């Protein structure tokens, strides 16, 4: 028996220097050497399934690297090295963030370990906890020391490096025992049937498999759960290695057939979409192509009108010319121009080969729009004539020839969900109430032209009352839609407090059981030391129970800072006042 135990020990020690570990050291050395010559980043990510293996790999790689060149990432990162990484990150990166953007400690720890790998270490050994949410695109080599059975988890691992911002081709290294038929069949299902690794080579660079057309994430998402559960059942149910291999061969054939049917269905669906919708899509593009030039021409005309009015109002000399290059505005130097164009300029309205075109971000257009928004004119000094079309709403047609007042308001509510609306209002002389919102919107869609102001047809006091009433109605509409969101938010706040109460009561019940056990041990103790130990445990539990009683009483009375703060914030946002901006307010004449 002693000889057998010693034999087990000898085999276990021998396993610490097996072919797999030697292959890992060889691959790691190759990657590190490539980094020194500038052929790669010189960094690699190693994924494993267990904490024991992770620690073993750290010890293994310590033969070639210093300890500070190896970063460990796991579910709970509370080692001294991890805390040191967090301190460095807070000093180098966290201090740059505003207070409101600073992450929680768990998130900061994840960022800190990634930062350490990017700036200091060369090897990142992660358990499955590192397969999600990490951005490691500065590294291009992944080693799967242990392969999970779920293809989606493998795809997630690869996605840590193969993501936006990666500048090199990503290499994935997997370890496979050549003399293990079951492992070979499992790897064949993952690589050849699901294309998880692109082109697959053996140790001598012989091409074993080239990927098909489908992206691996599509197949992994479609067949991943089924493959994982099937592999689990095989290993649980089979009694011999021969049974395992037979079941794996059958699974390989099933996955291949499922992939074939999936590709056929995909191709059939693509053909259906192309045949059914191709003509309709073409018609839509033709319609957009025909409508676009007119729409752009209308936008260019509006921009020119706004800029020209601004130049005239500011007394800036300019000349409008029409030539082979379209409409040009030649603007003389003026201190009233924006600083970037104060020396004067020539701009085109619409597309131009030789001159810069006016656009919404052009300094001149931005200045003209800002001046139009902030400028204030006395009521009645500005008026527009609106030409009604033949199919105008009856509400407008019957007011043809009458004067009135038109305003456009931008109303914003920063409540539980930000809401912003444009509110047009039109009131005609002699009317006591404005026309409908639909008719007001129809006015904005008509052709408008400037006409000389001719006094105020609608008194200011009356029009301000109309605006106030419209804002009240709009507020009521928004308030009704906010009510459901407010109720949901309030329910979440109450649930938060109820959850805390539930946890506190559960903890109290556990402490009471501890106290009862300590009391029973004290009463049944024969030795003085045992009785004193049980009595101390009873006192400690009783003190904790008293503290919890106070906490529970406080929570039952809703006396909690976080609860009050969240509730007050909900109420504040629920009844937040509207921000009203009057975009324009002008007299109007219906023609």
């Amino acid at each position: 028996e002693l000889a057998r135990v010693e034999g087990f020990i000898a085999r276990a020690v021998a396993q610490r220097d097996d072919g797999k570990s030697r292959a890992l050291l060889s691959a790691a050395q190759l990657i590190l050497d490539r980094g020194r010559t500038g052929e790669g980043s010189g960094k690699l990510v190693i994924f494993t399934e267990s904490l024991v293996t992770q620690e073993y790999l750290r010890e293994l790689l310590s033969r070639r690297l210093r300890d500070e060149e190896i970063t460990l990432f796991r579910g709970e990162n509370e080692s001294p090295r991890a805390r040191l990484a967090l301190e460095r990150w807070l000093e180098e990166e966290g201090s740059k963030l505003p207070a409101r953007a600073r992450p929680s400690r768990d998130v900061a720890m994840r960022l800190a370990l990634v930062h350490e790998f990017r700036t200091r270490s060369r090897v990142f050994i992660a358990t499955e906890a590192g397969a999600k949410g990490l951005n490691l695109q500065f590294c291009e080599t992944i080693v799967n020391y242990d392969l999970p059975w779920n293809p989606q988890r493998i795809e997630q691992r690869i996605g840590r490096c193969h993501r936006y911002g990666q500048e090199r081709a990503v290499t994935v290294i997997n370890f496979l025992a050549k003399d293990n038929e079951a492992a070979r069949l499992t790897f064949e299902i993952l690589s050849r049937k699901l294309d998880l690794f692109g082109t697959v080579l053996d140790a001598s660079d012989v091409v074993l498999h080239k990927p098909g057309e489908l992206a691996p994430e599509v197949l992994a998402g479609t067949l991943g759960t089924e493959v994982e559960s099937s592999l689990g059942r095989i290993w649980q149910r089979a009694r011999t290695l021969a049974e395992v291999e037979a079941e794996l061969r059958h699974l390989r054939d099933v996955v291949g057939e499922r992939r074939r049917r999936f590709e056929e269905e995909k191709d059939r669906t693509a053909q259906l979409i192309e045949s059914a919708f191709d003509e309709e899509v073409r018609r839509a593009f033709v319609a957009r192509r025909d409508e676009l030039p007119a729409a752009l021409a209308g936008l260019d005309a509006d921009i020119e009108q706004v800029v020209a009015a601004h130049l005239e109002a500011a007394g800036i000399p300019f000349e409008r010319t029409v030539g082979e290059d379209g409409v040009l505005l030649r603007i003389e130097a003026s201190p009233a121009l924006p600083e970037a164009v104060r020396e004067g300029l020539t701009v085109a309205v619409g597309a131009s080969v030789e001159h810069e075109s006016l656009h919404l971000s052009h300094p001149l257009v931005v200045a003209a729009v800002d001046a139009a928004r902030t400028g204030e004119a006395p009521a009645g000094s500005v008026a527009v004539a609106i030409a009604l079309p033949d199919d105008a709403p009856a509400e407008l047609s019957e007011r043809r020839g009458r004067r009135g007042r038109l305003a456009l308001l931008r109303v914003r509510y920063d409540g539980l969900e930000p809401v912003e609306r444009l509110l047009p209002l039109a009131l005609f002389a002699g009317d006591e109430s404005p026309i409908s919102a639909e008719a007001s919107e129809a006015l904005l869609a008509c052709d408008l032209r400037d006409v000389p102001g001719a006094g105020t047809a609608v008194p200011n006091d009356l029009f301000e009352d109309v605006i106030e009433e419209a804002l009240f109605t709009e507020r009521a509409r928004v308030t009704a839609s906010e009510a459901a969101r407010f109720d949901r938010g309030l329910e979440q706040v109450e649930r938060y407090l109820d959850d805390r109460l539930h946890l506190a009561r559960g903890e109290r019940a556990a402490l009471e059981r501890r106290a009862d056990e300590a009391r029973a041990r004290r009463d049944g103790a024969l030795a003085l030391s045992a009785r004193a130990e049980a009595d101390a445990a009873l006192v400690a539990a009783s003190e904790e129970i008293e503290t919890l009683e106070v906490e529970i009483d406080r929570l039952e009375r809703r006396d909690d800072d976080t609860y009050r703060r969240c509730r007050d914030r909900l109420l504040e946002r629920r009844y937040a006042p509207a921000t009203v901006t009057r975009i324009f307010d002008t007299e109007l004449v219906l023609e």
Side-chain angles (χ1 to χ4, degrees):
E1 185 176 312
L2 178 61
R4 291 183 64 194
V5 172
E6 290 176 342
F8 292 154
I9 295 174
R11 289 172 62 188
V13 171
Q15 285 295 105
R16 297 180 66 83
D17 194 23
D18 62 337
K20 189 175 182 179
S21 61
R22 289 195 301 271
L24 175 63
L25 287 174
S26 176
Q29 190 63 53
L30 174 64
I31 300 304
L32 297 175
D33 290 343
R34 286 172 59 85
R36 294 188 186 97
T37 60
E39 298 177 75
S41 63
K43 297 177 182 287
L44 70 154
V45 179
I46 303 175
F47 281 104
T48 183
E49 291 280 277
S50 73
L51 296 175
V52 175
T53 307
Q54 185 188 49
E55 188 60 32
Y56 164 67
L57 293 178
R58 185 193 66 78
E59 294 177 5
L60 179 68
L61 291 169
S62 295
R63 303 177 188 177
R64 305 286 179 87
L65 299 169
R66 300 188 308 276
D67 188 59
E68 57 268 22
E69 292 182 300
I70 303 172
T71 296
L72 300 186
F73 187 96
R74 53 182 65 177
E76 294 183 359
N77 299 289
E78 294 298 337
S79 66
R81 272 287 306 281
R83 290 193 291 270
L84 176 60
L86 178 60
E87 293 174 3
R88 286 172 173 167
W89 180 83
L90 290 172
E91 180 181 348
E92 297 173 7
E93 300 293 331
S95 59
K96 302 175 185 177
L97 300 174
R100 66 178 184 277
R102 289 175 185 169
S104 64
R105 188 182 187 280
D106 289 343
V107 175
M109 180 64 79
R110 295 171 66 90
L111 295 172
L113 292 173
V114 172
H115 176 69
E116 179 183 82
F117 180 42
R118 183 175 63 249
T119 59
R120 289 180 173 84
S121 65
R122 304 169 72 183
V123 178
F124 189 85
I125 310 176
T127 62
E128 205 59 39
K132 292 182 179 179
L134 300 184
N135 297 319
L136 306 176
Q137 58 267 55
F138 51 86
C139 172
E140 74 281 358
T141 305
I142 298 170
V143 175
N144 284 313
Y145 197 78
D146 304 317
L147 272 177
W149 289 344
N150 190 333
Q152 289 176 298
R153 289 169 59 191
I154 298 174
E155 187 62 31
Q156 287 170 350
R157 289 181 176 186
I158 299 172
R160 296 312 93 218
C161 297
H162 192 269
R163 59 196 303 106
Y164 289 116
Q166 177 60 260
E167 298 178 352
R168 301 181 178 92
V170 174
T171 299
V172 182
I173 301 174
N174 304 296
F175 290 95
L176 177 65
K178 293 181 179 180
D179 56 352
N180 189 324
E181 180 67 9
R184 188 190 64 78
L185 288 168
T186 302
F187 182 75
E188 184 178 350
I189 293 171
L190 296 174
S191 62
R192 300 192 185 188
K193 300 301 180 183
L194 299 179
D195 281 345
L196 285 176
F197 309 115
T199 300
V200 176
L201 309 175
D202 69 3
S204 58
D205 290 347
V206 174
V207 177
L208 299 178
H209 171 67
K210 290 187 177 180
E213 296 180 356
L214 280 175
E217 60 268 19
V218 178
L219 284 170
T222 305
L223 304 178
T225 304
E226 179 183 344
V227 170
E228 181 183 31
S229 59
S230 298
L231 286 170
R233 285 195 301 270
I234 289 172
W235 286 101
Q236 291 172 6
R237 184 175 55 202
R239 292 292 178 264
T240 66
L241 186 58
E243 289 183 20
V244 171
E245 294 173 358
E247 291 280 359
L248 286 174
R249 291 189 184 94
H250 176 68
L251 177 61
R252 176 190 60 187
D253 297 338
V254 169
V255 173
E257 178 62 21
R258 286 287 309 277
R259 170 175 178 162
R260 185 187 63 80
R261 292 203 303 268
F262 179 82
E263 290 177 338
E264 289 178 353
E265 191 66 28
K266 173 181 172 292
D267 293 339
R268 186 162 53 250
T269 304
Q271 292 172 5
L272 177 63
I273 292 174
E274 290 176 2
S275 61
F277 297 104
D278 192 45
E279 184 59 36
E280 184 177 345
V281 170
R282 274 200 297 269
R283 285 199 300 270
F285 276 118
V286 169
R288 296 294 179 271
R289 181 195 63 190
D290 296 340
E291 295 170 0
L292 188 59
L296 291 176
L299 176 63
D300 290 335
D302 291 342
I303 291 177
E304 180 189 359
Q305 186 177 9
V306 170
V307 169
H310 171 65
L311 295 174
E312 291 175 355
I316 301 172
F318 73 98
E319 179 186 4
R320 182 182 188 273
T321 60
V322 180
E324 295 181 357
D325 205 21
V327 177
L328 298 178
L329 299 181
R330 304 183 187 278
I331 305 168
E332 298 181 13
S334 170
L337 285 170
E339 184 176 356
V341 294
R342 194 159 290 170
E343 300 302 321
L345 70 159
T346 298
V347 289
V349 178
S352 174
V353 177
E354 298 182 5
H355 299 90
E356 181 184 9
S357 299
L358 287 175
H359 52 84
L360 294 179
S361 299
H362 193 282
L364 191 56
V365 177
V366 172
V369 172
D370 289 343
R373 286 177 173 171
T374 58
E376 296 183 359
S381 62
V382 178
V384 295
I386 300 178
L388 290 179
D390 295 335
D391 60 347
E395 194 175 359
L396 295 178
S397 297
E398 64 189 22
R399 288 174 171 78
R400 195 184 297 271
R402 294 175 57 182
R403 297 180 66 87
R405 193 161 169 182
L406 175 66
L408 181 63
L409 311 177
R410 182 172 60 226
V411 187
R412 179 178 175 85
Y413 299 92
D414 291 313
L416 298 174
E417 183 174 311
V419 176
E420 187 171 278
R421 280 173 51 82
L422 291 177
L423 185 63
L425 285 173
L427 179 65
F428 286 86
D431 292 346
E432 296 183 356
S433 58
I435 60 177
S436 66
E438 293 77 11
S440 297
E441 291 179 4
L443 281 177
L444 296 178
C446 296
D447 292 333
L448 285 75
R449 61 182 177 82
D450 295 336
V451 295
T456 303
V458 176
N460 283 335
D461 292 345
L462 175 60
F463 198 59
E464 293 299 328
D465 290 342
V466 166
I467 290 176
E468 185 176 348
E469 182 178 352
L471 291 175
F472 180 81
T473 304
E474 180 68 14
R475 175 65 188 177
R477 187 193 66 79
V478 174
T479 299
S481 65
E482 289 274 272
R485 299 189 188 97
F486 176 74
D487 291 341
R488 286 197 301 271
L490 200 60
E491 181 182 352
Q492 290 174 343
V493 174
E494 294 293 337
R495 191 183 303 135
Y496 155 78
L497 201 63
D498 290 340
D499 289 344
R500 289 188 58 187
L501 265 172
H502 177 73
L503 291 173
R505 288 166 179 161
E507 190 175 350
R508 179 181 61 184
L511 286 170
E512 288 173 346
R513 288 194 295 272
R514 278 174 46 193
D516 292 340
E517 293 170 359
R519 190 177 293 108
R521 290 199 308 274
R522 182 194 63 182
D523 295 342
L526 298 178
L528 185 61
S529 59
R531 181 180 178 85
E533 182 182 350
D535 196 48
L538 177 60
V539 171
S542 299
E543 290 176 352
E544 291 186 48
I545 290 173
E546 290 179 4
T547 303
L548 270 178
E549 290 285 0
V550 174
E551 176 72 6
I552 290 171
D553 177 67
R554 186 176 63 79
L555 293 175
E556 288 176 341
R557 291 185 286 104
R558 284 349 195 208
D559 181 17
D560 180 75
D561 291 341
T562 303
Y563 170 79
R564 281 197 300 267
R565 186 167 61 252
C566 293
R567 187 181 176 90
D568 292 346
R569 178 59 177 155
L570 271 175
L571 290 169
E572 178 185 340
R573 296 179 65 184
R574 172 73 168 83
Y575 299 104
T579 302
V580 181
T581 304
R582 197 171 302 197
I583 297 178
F584 67 78
D585 182 351
T586 181
E587 295 289 318
L588 68 90
V589 180
L590 282 187
E591 295 181 342

